[in-house]
Amino acid sequence: MLNKSLDSNIQAANDAMPAGKPVTNPLPPLQDRHGRTFDYVRIAVIEQCNLRCTYCMPEEGVQFKEKDMVLSTDEILRTVELLARMGVRKVRFTGGEPLVRPDIVDIVARTVATPGVKAAHLTTNGLLFPKYAKALREAGLHGVNISLDSLDEGKFEEITRRSGLNKVLESIDLAVELGFPRVKINVVLMRGFNEDELIDFCELTKDKPITVRFIEFMPFDAHQIWESGQHFASAADLCGQIERRYPGITTASGTRTEHHIYQAPGYAGKIAVIPAFTRSLCGNCSRIRVTADGNIMNCLYSEQPYHLKDLMRQGASDDDIVALFRQAYDEKYKDGFEAKKAASIAAKINVSDINRSRASMTQIGG
Ligand code: SAM
Ligand code: SF4
């Protein structure tokens, strides 16, 4: 596999962020005992979704929380403000499908205006994006990640259990046209589903200034299609296929999660491979996760929620909330393997059974 200087690449990606308003009352940064600093938060703003991707949600949906069980707009903004005072500079809204939440444009606009925040991003399946794209651009959204797993209508319907490929393709073009500084496509690459489209997806980067990101399939699917093991395609394998197909491909700059990132000679965009399951990226983790039901999760593989929403609704002070974040990150394990092992010990079950209790990625936001 091609090597790159990770730090210089991340530096380049950070330098490209807007300046944002400075924080006037900063707090010490959020750090853990393994020397990591957390400056990026992913907030799931809703559990509902207008698709039913087979690897994410069951056909009938998951048991959604009542409306007042999710964080309100003011609670989200209070969280963002406190985290920004602790050094968080990048905020991503996810879900469920964040564009199903009616106040999403307002949430983005207020986040962008929060002192300390440099960039707000959104991860969406793209179906409703044409409706909100212009308003989101005007609100100051910096980046949009559009999830798309097949360029073939039949296969798209098979994977998402809904139609809409053309809408998603329209969204990608619209995002580029409107000049969003970061436009990325998230592809969950699975053997026997869409692995044969790897190169077709790479070819999207020929003329479009976008990053196509291949994400390893993770065991957070409601129906446990993961269980058979037959659909998993490893990051190393995907990198091998890409490097063989594009002789002379070079490494490029990207974010911390874009552990392998390339640019084919003469192409406008970039290609990234994200080892979400093999977890070679844990040492560089900078993420804070807030789930749709208002809990802090210090790792995707952890089963230990920290009850942010409950604390806020008990009338907590800013200091109490900051203390909860510090506790969550003080207790963060070295990597996802350790987090999963700890969860299995606490629940007195096998490590291999640990993610079965979670119905869907919609609760944690991917
Ligand atoms: N609905 C939005 C979307 O699909 O982009 C945002 C939420 S979705 C949970 C966020 C990301 O998680 C998507 O890119 C999706 O493909 C990814 N995802 C969901 N389930 C996954 C799984 N089991 N393994 C890997 N990625 C998954
Ligand atoms: Fe919905 Fe996104 Fe999950 Fe697909 S991956 S079901 S679009 S939340």
Side-chain angles (χ1 to χ4, degrees):
M1 253 177 278
L2 292 173
N3 285 322
K4 63 171 184 164
S5 158
L6 192 65
D7 286 346
S8 64
N9 287 350
I10 292 166
Q11 189 57 47
N14 285 343
D15 287 349
M17 286 208 272
K21 285 190 205 155
V23 176
T24 48
N25 47 357
L27 292 163
L30 191 57
Q31 288 172 321
D32 74 0
R33 61 187 119 141
H34 307 288
R36 294 171 293 201
T37 300
F38 299 88
D39 60 2
Y40 169 30
V41 64
R42 297 173 65 99
I43 304 180
V45 294
I46 190 167
E47 276 184 89
Q48 276 91 339
C49 186
N50 45 0
L51 290 183
R52 291 286 181 274
C53 302
T54 42
Y55 56 76
C56 178
M57 262 216 232
E59 170 78 79
E60 64 281 10
V62 291
Q63 213 177 353
F64 294 120
K65 308 270 180 312
E66 298 291 323
K67 193 165 162 287
D68 67 355
M69 294 295 285
V70 300
L71 287 179
S72 69
T73 308
D74 286 344
E75 287 166 341
I76 291 173
L77 269 302
R78 185 177 183 201
T79 304
V80 168
E81 192 201 317
L82 288 172
L83 286 174
R85 288 178 58 200
M86 282 191 271
V88 167
R89 298 290 168 256
K90 178 173 164 185
V91 181
R92 176 174 301 282
F93 297 110
T94 174
E97 173 47 45
L99 296 182
V100 169
R101 185 163 167 146
D103 55 354
I104 188 69
V105 176
D106 181 42
I107 293 175
V108 168
R110 289 170 65 190
T111 296
V112 172
T114 303
V117 171
K118 288 191 167 192
H121 294 242
L122 185 87
T123 301
T124 171
N125 60 33
L127 285 191
L128 289 169
F129 186 72
K131 186 172 165 193
Y132 294 110
K134 211 159 163 280
L136 287 167
R137 181 80 176 103
E138 282 162 11
L141 187 74
H142 188 70
V144 55
N145 286 12
I146 298 177
S147 303
L148 175 63
D149 303 316
S150 180
L151 297 166
D152 172 88
E153 179 70 54
K155 236 198 275 178
F156 178 92
E157 286 180 24
E158 201 186 316
I159 295 174
T160 66
R161 301 195 186 94
R162 299 284 188 274
S163 56
L165 172 63
N166 286 337
K167 217 17 138 203
V168 184
L169 294 175
E170 183 195 329
S171 294
I172 296 168
D173 287 338
L174 187 59
V176 173
E177 212 175 282
L178 288 174
F180 283 96
R182 293 275 177 277
V183 181
K184 303 188 180 186
I185 314 295
N186 282 354
V187 188
V188 178
L189 227 274
M190 292 176 294
R191 236 174 225 148
F193 270 70
N194 58 355
E195 199 186 8
D196 56 332
E197 295 190 58
L198 177 79
I199 300 304
D200 292 343
F201 272 110
C202 291
E203 284 298 296
L204 292 178
T205 68
K206 189 170 189 171
D207 303 313
K208 297 184 206 297
I210 59 176
T211 302
V212 170
R213 305 162 11 123
F214 299 105
I215 303 171
E216 278 180 342
F217 179 30
M218 291 179 276
F220 302 123
D221 60 304
H223 280 167
Q224 299 296 326
I225 54 173
W226 162 270
E227 285 301 300
S228 69
Q230 62 184 347
H231 297 301
F232 181 70
S234 74
D237 184 39
L238 300 176
C239 287
Q241 291 190 49
I242 294 165
E243 290 175 19
R244 279 193 298 279
R245 170 60 182 78
Y246 297 101
I249 197 165
T250 50
T251 57
S253 61
T255 63
R256 281 170 208 271
T257 38
E258 290 160 357
H259 201 67
H260 310 281
I261 179 145
Y262 307 97
Q263 189 155 28
Y267 279 41
K270 298 176 190 174
I271 302 166
V273 177
I274 302 181
F277 179 71
T278 45
R279 281 163 269 183
S280 37
L281 36 73
C282 296
N284 274 313
C285 184
S286 62
R287 297 176 168 206
I288 302 158
R289 290 173 194 276
V290 178
T291 62
D293 55 356
N295 293 319
I296 303 163
M297 296 294 294
N298 65 16
C299 173
L300 196 50
Y301 289 86
S302 163
E303 291 278 307
Q304 159 78 55
Y306 296 83
H307 301 288
L308 173 68
K309 181 190 75 215
D310 294 349
L311 189 69
M312 280 183 174
R313 292 187 186 174
Q314 285 156 15
S317 67
D318 289 353
D319 287 349
D320 295 335
I321 295 167
V322 167
L324 186 70
F325 274 103
R326 294 212 190 282
Q327 183 197 346
Y329 282 82
D330 196 47
E331 292 174 2
K332 183 174 164 75
Y333 287 95
K334 180 167 81 52
D335 56 36
F337 296 101
E338 296 278 321
K340 200 165 162 177
K341 198 165 89 193
S344 79
I345 292 168
K348 297 193 175 69
I349 55 176
N350 286 333
V351 171
S352 57
D353 289 335
I354 199 68
N355 296 113
R356 285 191 180 157
S357 58
R358 201 177 268 151
S360 164
M361 192 71 119
T362 53
Q363 290 154 346
I364 29 177

